Amino acid sequence: MPLIGYARVSTEDQTPLPQSEALQSAGCAEIFEEHASGGNRARPVLARVIERVKSGDTLVVVRIDRLARSLSHLLEVIERLEGKGAFFRSLQDPIDTASPQGKFTLQVLGAAAEFERALIRERTKAGLASARAKGRVGGNPGLRSKDPAALRKVRLARQDGYMERLNETAQDWVPHVRRLRPDMAWEDVLRIINGPLPHDRHWTQSRLLRAVKAYVRDGFLPAEALGRAGRRETDDRLPAIVAAIKGADPDITLQAICDRLESMRERTPRGRTSWQPSSVRMLLERAERLGLL
């Protein structure tokens, strides 16, 4: 079972060397290091690691906080790994999703998170009921009077909330947008993003465009990402899509690319719905001749 290590430190002044040595001692064949805040979910190295893992692999960290600073983010990453048939292990915490004990610990953490959310909902409802019983009117007085300062504060809070929600899903779409735009049309970028995602997490083009505009506005993506895509010859479209899938995971197999294309409902050059590795190999060779790889 291949072990893939991930080491993270928050600042450039810190060194991930002790973590890397511990991961190497644990048997990790590959180790990825990143300098980034644990509160930032849009970490490019972490996104690349998650994209890199295959069925049967195990993502290993020294401690849970090296991977995630919140329980929701931890559970989200583990869910993505499980969706790919991969596992997660923390060397200094009792979590190894390949073992029954680790799975039980994870279930307890998930139940605790749901219990905490339920308590917050109940306390909120009780507080609102108590306020109504005392005759207090809910809401912001500044909003009721349409005070400009209050309206601006609410608008900024909504923007912050939107960016926080985007950060939770950034690893699904930011690496693809950064790599493929503006060379590839939005329709094809969207299909590549949605390919490995469960249906309930699929993006629409309008929602993706809004997210990219927000990230460009705040400097997380270059303005070129919103540029107009150049016209591509019809015969070059499939090689470009296959090259994009290969570029996201250089170790992906031909059969896995076939599965991805079928999940994207992409038809073969002859118009068929079922893909064969030989067809993918031919498109990869063409992509290489076109300079797409």
Side-chain angles (χ1 to χ4, degrees), residues 16 31 39 52 63 66 163-164 184 205 213 222 230 266:
I31 298 174
R52 158 77 178 78
R63 297 191 312 273
R66 297 302 87 196
M163 293 302 294
E164 184 176 346
M184 184 174 286
Q205 186 167 325
K213 288 177 181 177
E266 195 68 53

Side-chain angles (χ1 to χ4, degrees), residues 52 56 76 87 97 105 161 170 180 209 238 289:
R52 158 77 178 78
E76 177 189 328
F87 306 99
T97 60
T105 302
L180 301 177
L209 278 171
L238 280 175
R289 290 195 298 271

Side-chain angles (χ1 to χ4, degrees), residues 179-180 184 188-189 191-192 232 236-247 257 261 264 266 287 292:
R179 185 165 46 86
L180 301 177
M184 184 174 286
D188 292 329
V189 174
R191 291 154 74 88
I192 290 170
R232 187 181 294 278
D236 293 349
R237 179 177 171 276
L238 280 175
I241 290 176
V242 172
I245 296 173
K246 180 73 172 177
I257 295 178
L261 291 168
M264 293 166 58
E266 195 68 53
L292 300 174

Side-chain angles (χ1 to χ4, degrees), residues 1-6 27-33 43-60 77 80-87 171-172 175-176 179 196 244-253 256 260:
M1 184 182 295
L3 304 180
I4 300 174
Y6 173 74
C28 292
E30 294 181 82
I31 298 174
F32 295 82
E33 299 179 349
R43 288 175 250 157
V45 175
L46 178 59
R48 190 163 68 247
V49 173
I50 294 176
E51 187 71 26
R52 158 77 178 78
V53 297
K54 302 184 294 293
S55 178
D57 290 349
T58 298
L59 177 62
V60 184
V77 172
R80 288 185 54 128
L81 293 173
E82 288 183 338
K84 302 182 74 170
F87 306 99
Q171 57 196 6
D172 291 341
H176 295 293
R179 185 165 46 86
I245 296 173
K246 180 73 172 177
D249 183 2
D251 297 324
I252 193 171
T253 64
R260 183 73 61 82

Side-chain angles (χ1 to χ4, degrees), residues 41-43 46-48 50-51 73 76-78 80 166-176 197 201 215:
R41 299 193 181 193
R43 288 175 250 157
L46 178 59
R48 190 163 68 247
I50 294 176
E51 187 71 26
H73 188 205
E76 177 189 328
V77 172
I78 294 177
R80 288 185 54 128
L166 280 187
N167 290 340
E168 293 176 357
T169 62
Q171 57 196 6
D172 291 341
W173 57 277
V174 170
H176 295 293
L197 297 177
R201 286 171 56 187
Y215 262 45

